[in-house]
Each structure stands twice: as C-alpha cells, then as structure tokens.
Amino acid sequence: MKTILAPPTEENLARAAQFIKQGLLVGMPTETVYGLAADAGNEQAVKAIFTAKGRPQDNPLIVHISSLDMLEKLAESVPEIARRLAEAFWPGPLTMILPKSQQVSDTVTAGIGTVAVRFPSHPVAQRLIALSGCPIAAPSANLSGSPSPTRAEHVLRDMVGRIPMILDGGECQVGLESTVVSVSEDLVRVLRPGGITVDDLLTVASRVEVDGAVLHQLEAGRVAASPGMKYKHYAPKAQVTIVEGNLSAFYQYAAAHQESVTYCMVFDGEERNAPLPCITYGSKDDQRAQARELFDCLRRLDDLGAQTVFVRSPSREGVGLAVYNRLLRAAAFRVVSL
Ligand code: TXA
Ligand code: MG
C-alpha cells in the first residue's frame, strides 16, 4: 500500500475521513502524539490497528471524540467527577476510564468492562473526527514498543506501506501521551501521567492518587490497572540508564561505564565540554520542553546507532512525572543513584 504524507488541507481532511469511513487507518496529529485512527465502530478497522502496530490484543485502545454528545453513547454512565474533569480539561490531553456502553466492542476495550475516552484539542484531530462522523479509536501511531511519534516523519517511518495516509500537523505540542485517569466518587487515580498534571487535577478533585505502576515495576503476577503500563515501552535499541546525581558525577560515571557507541542525554547547555557525545532534551527547569523533545531524542539515538545511553534524571515535578515515567520504561527501570 502506498502511504501519502499530506498537509491537513480541507481537501485532504475530506480524503482522510473517506479512508476512515472505508475502514482504513489514517495517521492523525493530536496535541500529545500522533494517533493511528480508525472508526471505533468498525470491527475490521479496529483489528487492523492491532495488526499495523504489532500490538498485543490485551491492550485496549483510547476512543477519541469531537463533542460531548459522542461521550454519552460510549459510556454507560458518566460520574459527576468525570463531568467536572471534562469541563476543566477537555478538549485536551486527558483520557478518562469510564464504564463502557453496549455500543463499544470488546476488540476496542480488550474485553475490559471500561472504555478510555479522550477529546483532543488539536484542530486537525477534531476536524477529522467530525468529518468521519464517528468516534475514533486511536493508539499512538508507532510500532508497538517504539517511542510514540511526535512528528509526521516518525509515523511515516513506522507505518509506511501499512496505512494509506498521514495528515502532517507538524510537531506535537505536548510530546507525551495523554494523562490517563480512572475516577470514583471524589477520587481520581492517575494510571499514566501526562500533560495534565496532578496539581491540575487537584484543582477539580479533592483526592488524586498516582497508581503504583507509574513509578515502579509491576510485580510478577499483579494485574495492571492500565494494561499499557506493563509492556516495555518507548525504548530505543540502546541500553538506557537513568543516572541521578550532579553533572560532574554524571559524566564521571558515564565515562567509566561507556561501551562501544555511547551517548549522554543531557539538559540544554550541559553538552558543553562534555567528555562524551551528547544529545540534549530541553532545559533542566523546563519539564514541558523535556516532554516535547523526549521521544524525538530516543528516536535520534537509534539513528545515531547508540548502544549505551546515560540520561540525566529529570525532576518529577509537574509534567516531569510523565517525562520520568517514560524514561523509566525506556530504561527498563535501570536507575543509578550517585
Ligand atoms: O495521547 C494519547 O493518549 C495518544 C493519542 C493518540 O491520543 N494515544 C495513546 O494511545 O497513547 P495508546 O494506545 O498508545 O495508549 C493507551 C493507554 C494504554 O496504556 C492502555 O492500556 C490504556 O491507555 N487504556 C486504554 N483503555 C483502557 C481501559 N479501559 N482501562 C485502563 N487503561 C486503558
Ligand atoms: Mg502507545
């Protein structure tokens, strides 16, 4: 299959919607990462998502909407707290886990009784959903296990020959996948941290808890609240190690432990006078910049042929929690404290 990379003109959006209606998959920009979009109500199309990504069947998909009317059809019920979160953070990078209605197939939810719903803020995503006229199932548009795509070229790399079209919306603003939460009464539980932070959630909910799987490896035999959290993820081919400590200790450690092709992933400016080759991922105090650049850095490390990577540890404040969560998985939980 030929894959077209197309600017999101009204004409191309109409073509993309046509592909969706035919049960085909389209690369769709969102404010978080690019999604692999399909008609959530078309069983064959949803199955094709799993095939195109090489995604395990037991990992459910997020359903994307472009109006609150669509929500009522997907969720069996919408608790009061979810309505307040929607009002505060939708459209935007928040995904809510809700009891699923009959209309949502078990293929979308991997047989779980709940459905993940998100109302993206990216105008191209909103327009594509509206033109398609149906809720859109969309995981991140990477091959399973690779870093999520934050640019159309990343999608092209992973999906060329597998899908007919990618809408090029430029670089994603957030750069990490949405915050995923489950809700019950006044409690909001963060299953996956993202652009909507714990502090943001606390402006609406009186109690916010971060699920244990966000920062810790799941013990063998434990069931993940969010199935995606149990897979090795976001990983470049290199062996990645997060190194905590000051900059000079970091470089000393990296120099002592370097192997054939070694890179350091450091904050902006720290590459000056470095003893090893470096790439940078945003300034030290700017967690939003780190989030925006992280996945592109991980992909560039592959392009550079990196085999060993040492990463400066980010702060876990604000969006930093999401940056750290993704890095932990890229590093398969390898963290060194100096
Ligand atoms: O920002 C995003 O969320 C992007 C863009 C494209 O919207 N999408 C995305 O989808 O990251 P995906 O499939 O890569 O990640 C979805 C995550 C997985 O960790 C999955 O296990 C979890 O959401 N999830 C989906 N449905 C769930 C459910 N019913 N209960 C718990 N977790 C669920
Ligand atoms: Mg993903």
Side-chain angles (χ1 to χ4, degrees), residues 30 32-35 53 55 59-62 64 95 97 112 114-116 118 138-140 176-178 180 191-192 225-229:
T30 84
T32 57
V33 301
Y34 277 76
K53 275 183 67 90
R55 183 182 179 100
N59 195 4
L61 303 174
I62 296 173
H64 297 68
T95 296
I97 310 295
I112 308 183
T114 53
V115 60
R118 180 161 109 78
S140 49
L176 296 179
E177 308 85 343
S178 60
V180 177
L191 306 183
R192 181 178 72 180
S226 179
M229 280 288 150

Side-chain angles (χ1 to χ4, degrees), residues 1-3 24-25 160-165:
M1 181 186 293
K2 190 168 178 294
T3 305
L24 295 169
L25 312 182
V160 67
R162 295 167 191 250
I163 61 177
M165 190 175 200

Side-chain angles (χ1 to χ4, degrees), residues 196-254:
I196 301 295
T197 65
V198 170
D199 282 341
D200 292 336
L201 295 166
L202 279 168
T203 64
V204 173
S206 53
R207 287 166 63 213
V208 177
E209 281 178 9
V210 176
D211 193 77
V214 166
L215 291 178
H216 304 282
Q217 204 158 11
L218 214 62
E219 289 157 39
R222 281 272 306 280
V223 177
S226 179
M229 280 288 150
K230 75 181 177 213
Y231 298 105
K232 184 174 177 196
H233 240 112
Y234 319 113
K237 295 184 184 79
Q239 176 179 286
V240 177
T241 306
I242 301 172
V243 183
E244 294 174 342
N246 66 38
L247 185 62
S248 61
F250 171 87
Y251 278 133
Q252 248 175 36
Y253 181 89

Side-chain angles (χ1 to χ4, degrees), residues 67-271:
S67 73
L68 287 178
D69 293 347
M70 285 183 171
L71 172 66
E72 309 302 329
K73 292 180 193 128
L74 298 169
E76 177 67 27
S77 60
V78 182
E80 171 59 24
I81 177 81
R83 293 203 185 274
R84 284 195 280 130
L85 289 171
E87 189 164 323
F89 303 116
W90 277 359
L94 179 73
T95 296
M96 288 195 275
I97 310 295
L98 298 166
K100 87 171 190 74
S101 78
Q102 295 282 332
Q103 284 194 30
V104 183
S105 83
D106 282 342
T107 315
V108 170
T109 65
I112 308 183
T114 53
V115 60
V117 186
R118 180 161 109 78
F119 187 160
S121 64
H122 198 294
V124 174
Q126 286 186 5
R127 187 85 186 121
L128 179 62
I129 302 166
L131 285 173
S132 303
C134 56
I136 295 281
S140 49
N142 52 291
L143 290 173
S144 202
S146 302
S148 294
T150 54
R151 301 167 188 216
E153 305 83 71
H154 298 164
V155 183
L156 186 64
R157 268 247 186 136
D158 282 15
M159 290 298 149
V160 67
R162 295 167 191 250
I163 61 177
M165 190 175 200
I166 300 161
L167 290 167
D168 186 349
E171 196 183 339
C172 298
Q173 292 231 312
V174 178
L176 296 179
E177 308 85 343
S178 60
T179 303
V180 177
V181 299
S182 64
V183 293
S184 65
E185 290 171 14
D186 66 334
L187 176 67
V188 173
R189 175 174 290 274
V190 177
L191 306 183
R192 181 178 72 180
I196 301 295
T197 65
V198 170
D199 282 341
D200 292 336
L201 295 166
L202 279 168
T203 64
V204 173
S206 53
R207 287 166 63 213
V208 177
E209 281 178 9
V210 176
D211 193 77
V214 166
L215 291 178
H216 304 282
Q217 204 158 11
L218 214 62
E219 289 157 39
R222 281 272 306 280
V223 177
S226 179
M229 280 288 150
K230 75 181 177 213
Y231 298 105
K232 184 174 177 196
H233 240 112
Y234 319 113
K237 295 184 184 79
Q239 176 179 286
V240 177
T241 306
I242 301 172
V243 183
E244 294 174 342
N246 66 38
L247 185 62
S248 61
F250 171 87
Y251 278 133
Q252 248 175 36
Y253 181 89
H257 293 83
Q258 61 180 309
E259 309 258 345
S260 53
V261 186
T262 299
Y263 279 87
C264 294
M265 220 172 112
V266 299
F267 300 120
D268 292 356
E270 295 181 344
E271 73 281 17

